[in-house]
Amino acid sequence: MKRTEYCGLLRPEHIGTEQICSGWVVTKRDMGGIIFIDLRDREGILQVVIDESKVGLDEFAIIEKIRLQSVVSVKGMIRERNSASVNLKIATGTIELVADKIEVISQAESLPYSIDEGKKVREELRLKYRFLDIRRPELYNNLKFRYKVQKAVSDYLDNNGFLYVETPMLTKSTPEGARDYLVPSRVNPGKFYALPQSPQIFKQLLMIGGVDKYYQVARCFRDEDLRSDRQPEFTQVDMEMSFVEQEDILKHLEKMFKYVYKETMGEEINYDFPRLTWKEAMDVYGSDKPDIRFNLPIIDITEIAKKCSFSVFKQAVESGGYVRAICVTGQADFTRSVIEDLTENAISYGAKGMAWIAYKQNGEIHSILTKYFTENEMKELLDAVEAKPGDFILFCADELDVVRRTLGGIRLYLGDMLGLRKKNEYKFLFVIDFPQFEYSETEKRYVAMHHPFTMPYPEDLQYLITAPEKVRAQAYDVVLNGIELGSGSIRIHDSKIQEKMFEALGFDEKTIEERFGFMVNAFKYGTPPHGGFAFGLDRFVMLLAGADSLRDVIAFPKTKDASCPLTGAPDFVSKEQLEILCLTNAVKMESYKTSAEPTKITIDVENIANLACLYLDDEEKLTYAEDMNAIIAFADTITKVNTLDIKAKEHLISVSNVFHDDEVIIHNVERDALLAASPTKIDGYITVPRVIEN
């Protein structure tokens, strides 16, 4: 037997019992004749005392040389620690195991980094040795907490009549949203499967099949740019119900999230989830996933602004735009540098600048706007934003999308800056009544904001073809602390409405048949009204655990470029594998490298140029990329040269004319000729990037 009990589960009541504990050596303290080691397993740490007189010289000598993170098994008696060595920070801090036999199961090599340093270690290195990173209690506890959340969700759905059904991982590509990950078929040359972005189509087919209530903890895949709350492969809790309306689903979701929160966090949610329409969320918070842990609403002052003589406001209103403001309570004394930061932040979101008012405690108003507002207009403005002496008001005037985006971004920036977004506070809400469509500038057509199977409100069906921008969807999101947990909708069950939806999206008969033919066919055979929802398990766990990134709650995550430092995926495959899949014509074989050959490093010259504040044209970017790759290849070649048997040599070069007198030489050259090679110039002067910030 290698273990009678986990290290972290032993308690004072085990004193006097013989135990066998196994785990990893995390610390070692040699006191001369006695060695103390901390032994860790998944449940915690136990102090082990190894006395030379008890275990023998041979075993003691082995332990003296043992490396940290080696795996050992220890047999001995549990005893009470002496008062001087008690450690109340751990559950086993009042007891210790006195070894009478110890076995080294696996001696560890020197570690690539110290595990105890945790997040101080570069993340890419930790991901490369993820199996070591998982030994950190913080990461292991996150994985343990993830399971607890998943189990609570499953328990709730199981107890409420939902049936767990798995759906296919290899399915048909129906591109309408994010890009698909494609899988070539060997038995059907030239054809491809797609990995599912969600089980959407299959769960609707399950409703047609009469399953009534379905759920699945589903793996999903989307080929899109990554960020801290996004991975190329992720897990979502997917569910669908028949014979329901939107209100039924919202009530179900609120009960489910309240249950899961109580089971995992040990606290009740004692408020009803607020409901905001999409328009309200965008107008009041500048986002369709608002963070309502703090106030700072966005207030429309367009009607007031169009009366003033401030040209920026007037021009925005006259061109169909809006003027909106945020009143920041008690911050009239914002420093100049803070105001400049806010202005730069506004510009980064597309605004042309930022007007502001500092309403001082003594009632004085510091702002350029005082020149353009009458006394009555200024009073009306301050009343509209509910400003009090001591407040700071900032403004944005532009097109509606720019105003929403800018003030929504600044609102979150202020929330972070003022410490209003507390990690240990959780605020759920529903966002409902999304637009059915959004206009794609790339495709020059309206596309589905959620997916083509979302049911519009009955009263909006008349606008599907003639005025698609007016159509509201019976779609809803659950938002937690400014992050969208998941989305859902009532689905179209009427084949005639589905045909109209495809028409509104610009799909011809051939496209419909190729992408959704099997779905349209299924609708002909008795489809119940149904709706559903799916939420990201990874995101939910990340928020509840207070983690900074999805990578902190996933066992083996990908990096920002969708690669895996641990396994080296994605990687080249052999030519034979490509030939079997009939893909040799799709890959340039003359430049193809197998996984055994070194991978060519891609140089992001544009990013390097941006970091260095340099302008490079397309030809220069190409040249620099080739030069950098050549340097890397040369350096790689040098590292392979065997220099062990080569003696060091001295090489001195004689120098002359090291010191010389400066001489001013005046050239009679035209200014335009001097500036000819400058990439940018204004009014006869070279423009130099600003590389030093105040």
Side-chain angles (χ1 to χ4, degrees), residues 24-29 35-39 68-69 116:
W24 286 263
V25 177
V26 293
T27 65
K28 184 178 72 170
R29 302 178 298 282
I35 295 175
F36 292 92
I37 65 172
D38 283 341
L39 194 64
L68 298 184
Q69 295 300 322
D116 290 337

Side-chain angles (χ1 to χ4, degrees), residues 558-595:
K558 302 291 190 293
T559 58
K560 290 181 180 179
D561 64 354
S563 65
C564 174
L566 174 64
T567 63
D571 199 359
F572 293 102
V573 296
S574 68
K575 295 178 182 178
E576 290 74 19
Q577 288 174 283
L578 292 175
E579 289 169 355
I580 290 171
L581 296 171
C582 300
L583 290 177
T584 50
N585 291 333
V587 178
K588 294 180 180 179
M589 298 307 296
E590 67 273 9
S591 62
Y592 189 81
K593 294 174 182 260
T594 65
S595 57

Side-chain angles (χ1 to χ4, degrees), residues 501-512:
M501 180 62 66
F502 287 145
E503 182 183 348
L505 290 169
F507 294 166
D508 56 29
E509 290 295 329
K510 182 180 178 182
T511 302
I512 295 169

